[in-house]
Each structure stands twice: as structure tokens, then as C-alpha cells.
Amino acid sequence: MEQKKNYTLPIIMMFALFAMISFVTGLTNPLGVIVKNQFALVNWQSQLGNLANFIAYAVMGIPAGLMLKRIGYKKTALAAVAVGFMGVGIQYLSGLSNSFTVYLTGAFISGFSMCMLNTVVNPMLNTLGGGGKKGNQLIQFAGSLNSISATIVPVLVGYLMGNAARATISDAAPALFIAMGIFVTVFIVLYSMNIPEPYAIEEPKADKKDKYSALSFRHFVLGAIAIFIYVGIEVGIPNFMNLFLTAARGTDLHSGMGMATAAAGSLVGTYWFLMMVGRLIGGTISGKVSSKAQLTFVSSLAIFFVLIGIYSPLETVISMPVFTGSGFGLVEVPIGVMFLTLCGLCTSVMWGGIFNLAVEGLGKYTSMGSGFFMVMVCGGGILPVIQGFVSDYMVGYMQSYWVIVISLGFLLYYAQWGSKNVNKDIPVD
């Protein structure tokens, strides 16, 4: 009788990589505050590291899928980990060389790694769990670690930064070392382990030419645009909240709240924590509430929250619990910031809702559509740059959230009208 293999250690490593995706991607938020001050940048320039990280998805999305098919899980994961170590290492070196260009290079290379890891970890966990309910359960547990990691990183880097006006990338070095250390550990463990390789053993099939594709479906095309916009919303809300909270007080467009970086990072961490809460809630009701209803509700609620954030007087404050650098306590923040933080509850379930609506009725074109969605993740880098430009040259921090309101309006349109499959005449069997 064949002995059942134990994949506990590789599963733990995949959990670690799931957390690392969020950790490394999340570094671009607090590092954006650092480079803005270190290199005397304006807001849109502070988002270029974020842009470099996410634009890599547009470049690497399809090649990463091809790598997975041709060389399998293990080699693709090992390559992704090596590239991730290199990218984070280059970001550390940018602090030593005091070079913004080197920092952007490191962020771009890190983006390659994050895209490759995203392509690997979900199907790998499903395979290690044996598929079915167990595989899905592993992915859900890993998703929770992803959210926890996103909660921790702005608090940790905010604490390391101390005074934002004097902080440099070198001050965040411990966080970068943690990332590189985990990459090294995972690489060694994965290299020494045997894991299932369904793609590697699958015989290639002759592809027949097909005049249709996922892009032949209007609701999928609009869904891909919605994913592009959604990732930009998810990233833009906390990024500009962090910039606003840590910017010095004044009377011009660039005026902020002058808050300590640790406290501001704590508030941003709360946004990501609420995303985890939202995912747990969404997971419990998804069997009873349609994706259309969920996306309609959270898009409408998010528009309401952001509008309150825009129009609430800065003088109207509320106390929120934060990590101040030496301990936990209450700090007064504009009530509008609290409502921006609450948007995490809304953005948490948007990806799943959009994906579900976009691939509905695609049949055999679903896998191709999933790969294309990974390319559209680059919106997480492009939309914040647009918001930064609006903030710098037009209306300031809080009014720049009109970019978010308009984007949420598109998601609401997609949920109500754009998600309808009007191409049911296309054969999908």
C-alpha cells in the first residue's frame, strides 16, 4: 500500500509566502512616506514605488502562468523566492546609496516576485490539500495570514521610522531583513522537499484555433476593468490616508495632520485588519447572498464612507486606538479618517465578487480569463499615481478621494448593469 505523503512543511512554507506577498507589497505604503521626505518628492512621485511594484504584474502575469505550466510549482516558486530576495535586497541597497532610482528598481523586481508567487501559491495550496474542501480551506487560512501581514507592516515600519521628516530607507532595514530572512528560509525548505507537480506531468494537448476568447465577453472585459480599478481603490485609500496623517500641518494643498508615523501606521493597519474582518464575514454569507448583491452593497457603502471622509470638517475629531511607538493608546483623528478606515470592510469582498461575476458563463475560457485578471492587478500602481497627481496639483489630500468615489461608481455600475452576460450565443463547452 502506498504511504500517504505528509506535506505539512511545504504547506507552512506556502502560508509564509502568502503572508510575504502582503508584507512585501505593503512595504510600498510606508516606504512611500519615507522616500517622499528623503528625496523631497511630491505625492504622485511618492507612489512610483507602488507603481513599479504593481506594473510588474502587467509584464509578468502571462509569463508567470507559462512558467507554471512548463517547469511546475516547485521551480516556479523557487525562482519567485530568489527574485523576491533580490528585489528586497536592492531596496535595502537604495538606502545605503541614497538613490531613488535604485529604490524603484528594487520595487519593480519585487513586483515580479509577487506576481509569480500569486500565480503559484493558490493552486499549490489547493494541490497540497488534495483539492476539494481541504484545498479551499488551506487557501482561506492562508488568506487570513495575508490580511494579518498587511495589518502588521505599516505599524512595524511606522515604528521603525520614528520621525517621518528625518527617516530614511535605512531606518526600515529591519523590516527588509525580516523579508529577506523568510525568503531564504522558504527557499532552503522548498528546495529540499518533494511536492506534487500536476502541471509537470500533464501531457500537452494540441490547441485548436478558436475565434473566441474570454475577451469576447462584454461582461468579462468590463470585469477586468473593474479589477484594475478595484486594486487601485484598495491601495489608494490607505496610502493617501498615511500621507495625509503624516504630512506637516499648514494651510496649502500639501497640509496634513502632523501625526507620528507609528500612530499613522497603526490607523492604516486598522484598515487592513478590517479587510480581514470583512473577508470572514463575506465568507460566512457568500452562500446565501449573490455576488451582485454583495458588490452593489459594499460599493454603495464605500461611496458613502468616502464622501463623509471628504466633507467632514477636520476640526470634528474622534478618538481611535493606535500604537503610538511606546505603547497603545487613544489618539484624536478627524472623523473623516475613521470613515476612510471603515472602507476596509467594503474593499475586503470586492475582488471575489468582481471575479465571480466576470467569469460567470465563460466555461472553457475561465482559465484564460483568470490569467488576464492577474495582469490587471497593475491598477494598484496606476490609480494611486493619478490620485497623487490630483492631490498635488488640483485639490489636496482629502479632495483627491474624488478619484476613489468615481472609481467606486464604476464598480457600482458593473454590479448592477455591466456584469450581465450579453454574449450567451458564444459556445463555451
Side-chain angles (χ1 to χ4, degrees):
M1 174 180 270
E2 185 179 353
Q3 187 176 3
K4 186 176 181 180
K5 295 182 180 179
N6 188 331
Y7 294 122
T8 301
L9 197 53
I11 288 172
I12 292 174
M13 293 300 100
M14 287 304 101
F15 278 17
L17 285 180
F18 229 117
M20 283 307 302
I21 291 171
S22 181
F23 190 92
V24 175
T25 302
L27 280 173
T28 59
N29 183 344
L31 285 178
V33 177
I34 291 178
V35 298
K36 177 185 176 183
N37 293 288
Q38 182 175 353
F39 302 111
L41 307 176
V42 291
N43 289 316
W44 75 268
Q45 290 174 316
S46 74
Q47 297 301 300
L48 290 178
N50 187 65
L51 173 64
N53 191 281
F54 277 100
I55 206 69
Y57 281 79
V59 178
M60 197 63 194
I62 294 175
L66 293 175
M67 285 181 64
L68 188 64
K69 285 188 175 183
R70 291 178 181 175
I71 65 176
Y73 287 144
K74 182 174 178 178
K75 291 181 180 179
T76 303
L78 289 173
V81 170
V83 171
F85 179 88
M86 184 187 309
V88 174
I90 291 174
Q91 288 182 74
Y92 167 71
L93 293 177
S94 72
L96 300 180
S97 62
N98 195 37
S99 171
F100 184 55
T101 301
V102 174
Y103 163 72
L104 291 180
T105 302
F108 185 63
I109 293 175
S110 294
F112 277 135
S113 173
M114 297 309 100
C115 179
M116 294 165 69
L117 289 177
N118 264 308
T119 306
V120 169
V121 291
N122 285 283
M124 182 182 268
L125 276 175
N126 188 59
T127 299
L128 292 173
K133 293 181 179 179
K134 180 64 175 177
N136 182 56
Q137 185 181 44
L138 289 178
I139 293 173
Q140 295 304 321
F141 281 137
S144 298
L145 285 176
N146 186 277
S147 296
I148 292 172
S149 180
T151 301
I152 293 172
V153 65
V155 181
L156 173 62
V157 180
Y159 170 72
L160 294 172
M161 285 166 59
N163 186 322
R166 294 194 298 268
T168 65
I169 296 173
S170 296
D171 293 317
L176 300 175
F177 290 154
I178 290 172
M180 288 189 285
I182 294 177
F183 277 139
V184 170
T185 303
V186 171
F187 186 94
I188 293 173
V189 174
L190 276 180
Y191 184 81
S192 63
M193 296 295 298
N194 291 319
I195 59 176
E197 292 285 4
Y199 282 114
I201 62 176
E202 188 178 81
E203 289 295 326
K205 298 178 181 179
D207 292 324
K208 296 181 180 179
K209 289 187 177 181
D210 195 333
K211 64 178 180 178
Y212 297 112
S213 71
L215 296 176
S216 301
F217 295 81
R218 191 199 70 166
H219 74 288
F220 174 78
V221 173
L222 293 176
I225 296 172
I227 281 292
F228 177 93
I229 289 173
Y230 156 70
V231 183
I233 292 171
E234 177 194 290
V235 173
I237 291 175
N239 277 18
F240 281 84
M241 185 167 68
N242 203 0
L243 287 170
F244 168 69
L245 291 172
T246 55
R249 291 178 180 270
T251 57
D252 59 9
L253 289 179
H254 304 119
S255 299
M257 298 303 299
M259 185 179 291
T261 52
S266 230
L267 289 172
V268 173
T270 301
Y271 168 89
W272 294 107
F273 175 77
L274 290 176
M275 280 195 68
M276 181 182 69
V277 173
R279 283 170 177 163
L280 293 174
I281 296 173
T284 60
I285 68 172
S286 290
K288 301 177 181 178
V289 181
S290 69
S291 295
K292 178 178 180 179
Q294 284 190 52
L295 186 58
T296 298
F297 175 75
V298 295
S299 298
S300 301
L301 185 61
I303 290 173
F304 175 70
F305 284 161
V306 176
L307 286 175
I308 293 179
I310 291 173
Y311 285 111
S312 294
L314 297 180
E315 296 77 20
T316 304
V317 298
I318 190 171
S319 295
M320 292 184 67
V322 299
F323 178 69
T324 60
S326 57
F328 285 91
L330 294 175
V331 63
E332 289 189 340
V333 298
I335 193 169
V337 170
M338 182 193 73
F339 280 96
L340 292 176
T341 304
L342 289 173
C343 286
L345 290 170
C346 303
T347 55
S348 60
V349 297
M350 288 179 176
W351 174 284
I354 295 170
F355 182 86
N356 185 266
L357 291 170
V359 300
E360 182 71 23
L362 261 61
K364 64 181 179 181
Y365 303 110
T366 299
S367 58
M368 179 270 189
S370 299
F372 191 74
F373 262 33
M374 191 57 64
V375 174
M376 299 306 285
V377 170
C378 66
I382 296 173
L383 201 65
V385 171
I386 295 173
Q387 186 178 355
F389 186 86
V390 171
S391 173
D392 286 323
Y393 303 113
M394 296 181 183
V395 293
Y397 286 108
M398 299 308 291
Q399 294 296 318
S400 75
Y401 276 92
W402 275 106
V403 174
I404 302 296
V405 172
I406 295 170
S407 300
L408 287 166
F410 180 84
L411 298 190
L412 181 58
Y413 155 77
Y414 181 70
Q416 281 294 297
W417 299 282
S419 59
K420 182 180 180 181
N421 185 359
V422 297
N423 301 106
K424 293 184 178 180
D425 57 320
I426 298 177
V428 296
D429 298 326

